[in-house]
Amino acid sequence: MWRLKVADGGNDPYIYSTNNFLGRQTWEFDPDCGTPEERAEVEAARENFWKNRYQVKPNSDLLWRMQFLRENNFKQIIPQVKIGDGEEITYEIAKTAMRRGAHFFSALQASDGHWPAESAGSLYFLPPLVMCLYITGHLDYIFPGEYRKEILRYLYCHQNEDGGWGLHIEGHSIMFCTTLSYICMRILGKGPDGGRDNACARARKWIRDRGGATSIPSWGKTWLSIFGLFDWLGTNPMPPEFWLFPSFLPVHPAKMWCFCRLVYMPMSYLYGKRFVGPITPLVLELREELFLQPYNEINWKKVRHLCAKEDLYYPHPLIQDLMWDSLYICTEPLLTRWPFNKLRQKALEVTMKHIHYEDENSRYITIGCVEKVLCMLSCWVEDPNGDYFKKHLARIPDYLWVAEDGIKMQGSTSQEWDTGFALQALLACNMTDEIGPILKKGHEFLKESQVKDNPSGDFKSMYRHISKGSWTFADPDQGWEVSDCTAECLKCCLLFSIMPPEIVGMKVEAERIFDSINIILSLQSKNGGLSAWEPASSSKWLELLNPTEIFENLVVEHEYVECTASAIQALVLFKKLYPEHRKNEIDDFIANAVRFIEEIQMPDGSWYGNWGVCFIYGSWFALGGLAAAGKTYNNCLAIRKAVEFLLNSQFNDGGWGESYISCPAKKYTTLGGHRSNLVHTAWALMGLLYSGQAERDPTPLHRAAKLLINSQMEDGDFPQQEITGVYLKNCMLHYATFRNTFPLWALAEYINGCHSHVIQSSVGEKLG
């Protein structure tokens, strides 16, 4: 059986940590683990997912939940409650549902204080890792038999009915992910017609019916070139000389969004090397299977700009294609010949210096999985037997996750993000007397997870921002500061600081709190908005140079309503506890942030959500930020418009349900059949509560709460529904804890907002 290990560094001599691996979550297969009953339970979960894979595409993340509930001896002893037609929601019923959810969720806390969970769903993450390990000869070492079995299970479970794979688990089939998934199945030992339900044959037919793999988008062209299935002549140039540019130029690495910069850094190294893996018999077979014409007859120069219509989300503007053509025709031929090839060699050395710096400062986790695999391969190309590559191998388990739908690679783990939300939900429940030890353990995790130092050395010359005082999205070893993660975790620490230390532990030292404030203040732009990772100081016109076809807003950092609203809430709470610290700066920050939120509101009253689906998510954050800053329904037009949007989009069953299509289309789109989604319902309910809806007309709130309560499962869990996370507008993420965190949090806020008179009466009786 598979077993989740927490805060475990293992025995690999090439792995190291800044804080004893706090928050690390890795899976191991133990053939002797589990009773026959437990193994049967796992197999039943797998079979159930397979049978329903086209109805609910995100998994329920059951394997670790089964493990933790067993290890914590959890049994739900609070009776289930339901509300019938025409019945009112009493305080007792709502509190019972909330307590059931809180106790269930508490039982899922890890021993080090965080909440583990899957953060995946994108289908282009895993195949490049398999391809990389095949090239380097480490496939059997990293992925022995049981791992291969579960990787294949994941591919089979998320193959669409037409035979292809989408950019994410709910997406339509595209050439990029279908081609990579097909290659992955073939590497893992499946023949051209092998795989469950003829998976390989169906995938190959999908590819060939659409003209073959020559129309794969640019990232796919890069990976096929690396693997020996494409000629580098068929890719647009990625010259490593870019890393030699002087900083005063308008196009410079320091001006790029960190994810974009750190993807194209190793890509440019591999391009500059024109690296191609070993041409094995499998590679030769794939050359015949993926293309309609003989491989050696393909005119690679003519396929550079090809992109399958299924993949094309962001068409390149003409100016960009002209730029690529100029580099391709004029620049590259010079840089590959003497004496200019000496400049190419210098550029490769500088690029590798940056790769090593980023690797070391993230303990070889890197900022995300796309970068991880490319940096790992670059280190192997530089020195196949070197320590750099071995340190990368040791951190592969940090990205792998196992669930009933198999093994997948996570884009980035989300321990601190999930835990910050989980603790706020539990704190809102006002159940300190019942879950005090859970809160204390979570508080200790946050205290120990705060980043204590800036990146090493002259970090500004390596294009890094300050990080001291921040919280990351993942774990502290990864080390990348994120503004909203910092704000959400800071809110928790501030709330804990006013609670009895004998219950929740000692509060965070003031200087460390001030470091967090410094990070937040440093990331506000002139327009008042807050960026996520680094200051958004670059010109937005640089997005015209977005080299991908599948993402938008990739090139430079932007401001986000979620980050801005989170920061407002954290700073307002901070002001109450430390009223004199940087008072004028904080007051100006909040005023400018409020203006930014009001100015970017959509005409229909909603806000576009950048990291969750989508307009409901953005509106929940915006309303929370505006309310924290003192805005009300009566004095703020933006709040009135947002309330109108939410009330008008509520379904007859009391819930809300938004399709992921809203994200790429940038237009509010409901789920088919007006289905409600409990996470969306929770966000909308909390947004309305922030707006003061309980004082105006609580009826919509009662209807929403009724849906949440009646949807709760027998053990206190909530059912998994549609995917709820997003990034870069076009790709979705499955956050597996969201189905617990937000319905629970919303029920708690509902009780505090709509049944406050009962709570006050109860408190009065206790005090009396």
Side-chain angles (χ1 to χ4, degrees), residues 443-572:
H443 186 200
E444 293 300 323
F445 173 79
L446 290 186
K447 288 193 292 184
E448 293 302 316
S449 295
Q450 188 182 21
V451 177
K452 308 300 192 298
D453 298 294
N454 289 322
S456 64
D458 183 10
F459 59 88
K460 291 185 179 179
S461 71
M462 306 307 284
Y463 321 131
R464 287 292 300 269
H465 188 57
I466 58 173
S467 58
K468 184 180 180 181
S470 68
W471 276 270
T472 72
F473 184 73
D475 62 24
D477 275 343
Q478 190 250 15
W480 269 90
E481 71 284 349
V482 189
S483 63
D484 51 355
C485 297
T486 299
E488 297 298 334
C489 292
L490 176 60
K491 283 159 61 180
C492 292
C493 291
L494 292 172
L495 291 170
F496 281 127
S497 73
I498 57 178
M499 298 174 70
E502 63 271 18
I503 296 177
V504 299
M506 298 301 295
K507 66 181 181 180
V508 178
E509 297 90 340
E511 284 303 318
R512 288 174 56 187
I513 296 292
F514 297 161
D515 287 339
S516 301
I517 297 300
N518 189 51
I519 281 278
I520 292 172
L521 295 179
S522 75
L523 291 171
Q524 188 175 41
S525 300
K526 292 180 180 179
N527 63 8
L530 206 70
S531 55
W533 287 269
E534 298 170 325
S537 56
S538 301
S539 301
K540 299 298 187 284
W541 67 262
L542 289 171
E543 289 293 351
L544 289 171
L545 306 181
N546 177 0
T548 72
E549 302 87 351
I550 53 179
F551 300 123
E552 189 175 346
N553 285 358
L554 178 85
V555 177
V556 300
E557 179 69 283
H558 294 265
E559 299 84 12
Y560 308 101
V561 65
E562 302 98 319
C563 300
T564 308
S566 287
I568 292 173
Q569 294 176 63
L571 290 173
V572 168

Side-chain angles (χ1 to χ4, degrees), residues 421-432:
F421 281 144
L423 287 171
Q424 288 182 75
L426 291 172
L427 284 167
C429 293
N430 297 313
M431 291 171 54
T432 307

Side-chain angles (χ1 to χ4, degrees), residues 27-297:
W27 287 87
E28 69 172 5
F29 182 78
D30 183 350
D32 300 320
C33 179
T35 66
E37 292 77 16
E38 290 167 354
R39 295 184 183 199
E41 187 180 19
V42 170
E43 288 304 321
R46 289 167 172 163
E47 189 59 27
N48 184 63
F49 183 86
W50 174 261
K51 289 180 179 177
N52 297 285
R53 66 192 185 282
Y54 297 135
Q55 284 71 51
V56 180
K57 298 193 175 185
N59 67 70
S60 296
D61 213 8
L62 293 178
L63 270 61
W64 77 273
R65 290 170 179 249
M66 292 174 180
Q67 175 189 330
F68 275 36
L69 294 176
R70 283 195 306 269
E71 292 175 351
N72 293 322
N73 297 311
F74 175 77
K75 299 291 182 185
Q76 183 62 265
I77 60 174
I78 304 172
Q80 190 171 12
V81 291
K82 297 286 184 183
I83 303 162
D85 293 339
E87 287 186 47
E88 290 188 3
I89 306 178
T90 64
Y91 168 74
E92 289 75 20
I93 288 177
K95 184 177 180 181
T96 297
M98 180 192 73
R99 288 182 63 236
R100 296 177 78 252
H103 281 287
F104 177 85
F105 198 30
S106 296
L108 297 178
Q109 187 184 38
S111 57
D112 67 354
H114 86 280
W115 272 262
E118 174 178 321
S119 172
S122 298
L123 294 176
Y124 66 93
F125 289 168
L126 182 60
L129 174 61
V130 175
M131 295 165 72
C132 174
L133 294 174
Y134 179 85
I135 290 169
T136 65
H138 292 76
L139 187 64
D140 293 337
Y141 172 68
I142 299 295
F143 290 145
E146 287 296 328
Y147 284 80
R148 295 183 182 216
K149 179 180 176 181
E150 293 305 316
I151 292 172
L152 287 167
R153 185 193 308 277
Y154 185 66
L155 294 174
Y156 300 154
C157 281
H158 295 290
Q159 187 174 24
N160 288 334
E161 292 179 87
D162 64 4
W165 283 264
L167 189 60
H168 54 87
I169 56 177
E170 291 192 7
H172 67 271
S173 298
I174 64 171
M175 185 65 71
F176 182 34
C177 292
T178 302
T179 302
L180 294 187
S181 296
Y182 180 78
I183 294 169
C184 187
M185 290 190 296
R186 296 285 281 114
I187 291 173
L188 295 176
K190 297 303 169 184
D193 298 316
R196 188 170 184 177
D197 280 8
N198 300 312
C200 289
R202 292 165 56 219
R204 188 172 64 258
K205 183 178 186 303
W206 192 97
I207 294 167
R208 294 177 69 87
D209 283 352
R210 287 155 183 81
T214 50
S215 61
I216 197 169
S218 58
W219 281 15
K221 286 179 167 64
T222 297
W223 269 109
L224 293 192
S225 298
I226 290 168
F227 204 71
L229 296 174
F230 220 81
D231 195 299
W232 282 109
L233 288 172
T235 66
N236 281 322
M238 294 176 282
E241 287 75 16
F242 180 60
W243 301 92
L244 301 177
F245 279 16
S247 59
F248 63 80
L249 291 179
V251 180
H252 183 268
K255 296 178 170 64
M256 297 172 69
W257 180 46
C258 54
F259 276 86
C260 183
R261 181 171 74 241
L262 298 179
V263 166
Y264 282 96
M265 183 170 64
M267 273 191 183
S268 68
Y269 178 83
L270 295 166
Y271 173 83
K273 285 277 190 179
R274 297 299 196 275
F275 171 76
V276 178
I279 306 302
T280 65
L282 174 61
V283 172
L284 295 176
E285 290 174 18
L286 287 168
R287 286 180 174 181
E288 294 182 6
E289 295 164 15
L290 293 173
F291 303 99
L292 299 188
Q293 63 189 112
Y295 184 81
N296 59 5
E297 295 179 10

